[in-house]
Amino acid sequence: MIETAQKGGLGALDLVLFSASLLLTFLVGGYYAYKARRDDSVANYYFGNRKIPPIPLALSMAVSYISGLTMIGLPTETYMFGMVNMWYTVGSIIPSIIVCVYLIPLYYRLQLSTIYEILFMGTTVYVPALALGAVTPISIHLAIILTSVICTIYTVCGGLKTVVWTDTLQSGIMFFGALAFMIKATLVVGGFDEIAAALERGGRNNIFDFNLDPKARQAAVSIFIGMNNAVLYVMACSQPNVQRLMSCKSIKDARVATMVSCIPKVLITLLSFGCGAVAYAYYEHCDPLSSGQISKPDQLLPFMAVDIFNSIPGLAGLFVAALYSGTLSTVSSGINSASAMILEDFILPIKPSLSEKSQLFVSKITGLVFGVLVIVVAYLCTFSSNTIVALLFIVRGTICGSILGAYVLGMIFPWCTNLGVLVGQFIGAAFTCWIAVGGLVYGRDPATDGVLPVLTDGCGNTNFTNQNIWNATQHSTTSYIVQSTTTTSVEHETEYFGLYGITFLYYSSIGSIITIIVGLLVSVITGANDPRKSNPDVFVPILDNKCFPESLRHFFRFGVPPPKTGCGKDEVNYETDDVGEEVGIKLQQTNHPESNHFSDETKPLNVDI
């Protein structure tokens, strides 16, 4: 579509708008920190006193899920591997339904709070650092520090309310920034017909690629399975999402927030794929990576934004701000949630009498520490040669699949023992780590990567060498195929170990399945628990709706007794609709002289399962 890509950076107005978006985010955080100065309670800091409205909470959940990884990573995947990546779009629907039906009632029964997200936050910060490195004189390392410091300051000062309302602001910046890019780029390349024609010529119209080979880097089946498993972990087991669900006043509000969050998730994800498609049409005859104009694939979109918005000052800055907004929302959520985990799971069990003021001080200090850790992890990401989407799935898949498996064992299989869960989770995590590290160290067959060819015949006098060509893996020299007038290909004689070639999209699913199977086997061998003696409050039957026959519902309880209507001081009353689904829950703490000083709304969460 173009002969050469113009090299340049953000103009003065672009930098002003970009800086203004960061300042506005910072001011919103400062405003809510100021408002909360008279309510210095831990419950307000971490859960907004459980009074946050579902709609802004839904937007916060959405942008934390999306992040810069979606807005930069998915367009790059589409540019390199084609429209088969559209299957990522459906990844949030099924997990949202599962969470609404099974897990939200469980969380509200238990008032649950836990988990960690540092590795994910680090990879998230790395993404906008790449963007700034492509369009400004700012180095990647300086951009990492800038992003982490901004997130840490306004999160530590303001707590969850700050995070939610800044996320609401950032959701608008993300949507309109991506929309502006999509509209302008489509007009530049000549419309949707030209985009479709370019995708067809480049072999990227492959949305119905149902390749079942587990070694194929991406196909419809592997993306669908991998994405649903990964998103289910994020929505069901990750601390930021669980903390948001527990910030609602009722199960009904939590369910509304969960399902409404799917709308911006799908819209912004679709926009990201559209941006990747139009980027290929724009650079069809002059790939900027092969010609040495960018150094990493994930710098493609911000580099293009500067190019196409060259005649409209300010819009490139808006687009880069949209990329940054996704990262700020995700990292701020993670820092707030990780500090909550440290307080509830490590500090309070040791010092349960810690005063409210001391708890808040400890929370802010741990938030600062986590901010530093985020910088370290993001810096380590700069040494990776993978695309950011691959890096994310590798990091999360090796750890989170076994965690999801442990949750399933604890909730659905009442005969599973503690030893079974521990052994299952250890083996599940160890196995996925083994194949992931093996794939990184020994490499995988480049023939299974599926990187589609790019052209450089329209680059004019732009000089480039093979050193400019990015390798999809560290041990693959032709994964990124450059075509000038002929196709370059090299024969490979290297033999690759089969398990190391499994696509990273399956890592999380493999970890979950192994954890469940091993956990059940170890439980049976060592002496399974008696379901009749299980705690019904932590059990989640697969089928428990009154629209199903009583005999079927009884079978799927596996002998576990019905849930109790009360439990000591905290009596749990359920409001049900006409089909028996739980739509509300209310905790009523009776007044006893020995009761602690926390009210229902301010009592901190400290429940382990």
Side-chain angles (χ1 to χ4, degrees):
M1 185 66 200
I2 59 171
E3 293 188 357
T4 58
Q6 300 174 12
K7 291 187 177 181
L10 295 178
L13 185 57
D14 295 317
L15 291 173
V16 168
L17 286 179
F18 173 65
S19 301
S21 71
L22 295 183
L23 178 62
L24 184 59
T25 297
F26 199 80
L27 290 176
V28 170
Y31 170 74
Y32 281 97
Y34 178 78
K35 280 189 65 176
R37 72 192 188 282
R38 295 179 181 176
D39 187 5
D40 261 357
S41 66
V42 175
N44 182 56
Y45 186 77
Y46 285 130
F47 302 99
N49 284 329
R50 301 188 180 91
K51 294 180 179 178
I52 299 180
I55 301 304
L57 200 64
L59 293 174
S60 178
M61 292 166 65
V63 297
S64 297
Y65 161 88
I66 293 168
S67 80
L69 295 172
T70 300
M71 298 192 65
I72 292 182
L74 291 185
T76 300
E77 294 287 312
T78 304
Y79 181 93
M80 296 175 62
F81 302 102
M83 297 303 290
V84 67
N85 289 282
M86 285 283 288
W87 288 94
Y88 280 105
T89 307
V90 300
S92 63
I93 308 299
I94 297 177
S96 296
I97 295 173
I98 293 174
V99 168
C100 285
V101 173
Y102 295 106
L103 297 175
I104 290 178
L106 174 68
Y107 296 155
Y108 272 73
R109 277 203 303 271
L110 301 178
Q111 294 288 283
L112 188 63
S113 173
T114 190
I115 304 300
Y116 54 88
E117 286 290 291
I118 291 301
L119 291 177
F120 173 61
M121 287 188 286
T123 57
T124 302
V125 167
Y126 169 62
V127 175
L130 282 176
L132 277 191
V135 298
T136 69
I138 299 177
S139 68
I140 290 179
H141 298 146
L142 180 59
I144 287 173
I145 295 174
L146 175 66
T147 306
S148 301
V149 168
I150 291 174
C151 288
T152 302
I153 290 177
Y154 80 70
T155 302
V156 167
C157 292
L160 186 66
K161 280 185 179 178
T162 297
V163 172
V164 169
W165 287 106
T166 52
D167 285 354
T168 303
L169 167 67
Q170 289 155 1
S171 66
I173 297 175
M174 292 169 66
F175 177 77
F176 288 109
L179 184 63
F181 179 93
M182 184 66 192
I183 293 173
K184 175 62 176 176
T186 301
L187 294 174
V188 170
V189 301
F192 292 108
D193 290 342
E194 181 57 33
I195 296 173
L199 293 174
E200 189 67 34
R201 290 191 296 268
R204 284 162 171 78
N205 192 12
N206 57 354
I207 189 171
F208 297 112
D209 178 7
F210 291 101
N211 187 352
L212 298 179
D213 184 358
K215 293 183 290 185
R217 186 184 184 276
Q218 70 287 305
V221 176
S222 60
I223 292 175
F224 180 81
I225 294 175
M227 191 62 179
N228 275 278
N229 189 278
V231 175
L232 181 58
Y233 164 79
V234 171
M235 300 192 68
C237 308
S238 70
Q239 172 68 14
N241 202 72
V242 172
Q243 187 173 339
R244 279 168 171 73
L245 294 176
M246 298 306 299
S247 301
C248 293
K249 64 181 180 180
S250 67
I251 289 180
K252 182 178 180 180
D253 278 3
R255 283 173 166 165
V256 169
T258 299
M259 296 311 300
V260 170
S261 71
C262 292
I263 299 174
K265 287 177 186 177
V266 171
L267 287 178
I268 296 179
T269 303
L270 286 174
L271 274 176
S272 298
F273 291 122
C275 291
V278 73
Y280 177 74
Y282 187 74
Y283 289 118
E284 182 182 6
H285 294 283
C286 185
D287 176 59
L289 185 62
S290 303
S291 57
Q293 297 171 88
I294 57 177
S295 60
K296 293 204 172 191
D298 291 304
Q299 293 177 322
L300 173 70
L301 225 58
F303 181 77
M304 179 179 168
V306 172
D307 200 359
I308 65 173
F309 290 132
N310 190 31
S311 60
I312 310 176
L315 285 185
L318 174 64
F319 181 71
V320 175
L323 303 180
Y324 245 83
S325 294
T327 295
L328 293 176
S329 64
T330 301
V331 176
S332 61
S333 302
I335 290 175
N336 180 265
S337 301
S339 59
M341 179 268 296
I342 292 294
L343 177 68
E344 298 296 336
D345 292 347
F346 294 95
I347 305 297
L348 289 181
I350 298 174
K351 294 207 67 168
S353 60
L354 199 65
S355 68
E356 187 89 358
K357 186 175 181 179
S358 297
Q359 290 181 38
L360 200 60
F361 176 76
V362 169
S363 299
K364 293 184 177 182
I365 293 298
T366 54
L368 291 173
V369 172
F370 280 121
V372 174
L373 291 177
V374 167
I375 294 175
V376 173
V377 175
Y379 177 78
L380 293 176
C381 290
T382 64
F383 296 101
S384 173
S385 63
N386 285 287
T387 64
I388 195 63
V389 170
L391 186 62
L392 169 65
F393 272 91
I394 291 171
V395 169
R396 265 198 163 159
T398 54
I399 299 172
C400 302
S402 58
I403 295 176
L404 180 59
Y407 267 65
V408 172
L409 285 172
M411 293 186 297
I412 296 178
F413 300 101
W415 53 84
C416 191
T417 63
N418 291 341
L419 179 62
V421 173
L422 290 174
V423 174
Q425 185 175 354
F426 175 79
I427 294 179
F431 184 83
T432 49
C433 283
W434 170 52
I435 60 175
V437 172
L440 291 173
V441 173
Y442 296 103
R444 41 179 281 124
D445 188 354
T448 64
D449 280 342
V451 182
L452 298 171
V454 293
L455 298 171
T456 56
D457 57 339
C459 290
N461 296 324
T462 303
N463 295 321
F464 63 94
T465 67
N466 289 334
Q467 293 179 344
N468 297 129
I469 301 175
W470 172 79
N471 299 322
T473 65
Q474 293 177 345
H475 300 274
S476 170
T477 57
T478 60
S479 292
Y480 200 71
I481 303 173
V482 179
Q483 291 183 334
S484 183
T485 55
T486 60
T487 301
T488 302
S489 62
V490 179
E491 293 294 330
H492 287 271
E493 297 180 356
T494 306
E495 293 185 2
Y496 298 90
F497 183 55
L499 284 177
Y500 295 161
I502 294 176
T503 175
F504 54 80
L505 291 166
Y506 284 134
Y507 287 174
S508 182
S509 301
I510 291 172
S512 299
I513 293 172
I514 290 178
T515 298
I516 293 171
I517 293 175
V518 172
L520 290 174
L521 288 176
V522 171
S523 298
V524 172
I525 293 172
T526 59
N529 289 331
D530 185 354
R532 295 171 298 179
K533 299 179 181 179
S534 298
N535 181 0
D537 289 333
V538 299
F539 174 66
V540 180
I542 299 175
L543 295 178
D544 195 33
N545 192 289
K546 288 185 178 180
C547 65
F548 295 105
E550 176 63 29
S551 58
L552 189 63
R553 296 169 59 208
H554 178 75
F555 172 80
F556 280 106
R557 291 202 65 84
F558 304 132
V560 177
K564 300 175 182 178
T565 57
C567 48
K569 297 178 185 179
D570 293 327
E571 184 177 349
V572 182
N573 295 328
Y574 297 91
E575 298 171 11
T576 60
D577 60 13
D578 57 352
V579 293
E581 291 185 75
E582 298 163 8
V583 296
I585 186 171
K586 186 177 173 182
L587 293 183
Q588 294 179 333
Q589 188 176 38
T590 57
N591 295 320
H592 293 284
E594 68 271 23
S595 296
N596 60 39
H597 64 282
F598 292 109
S599 66
D600 296 330
E601 293 182 344
T602 60
K603 188 175 180 181
L605 308 183
N606 189 22
V607 180
D608 295 321
I609 61 170

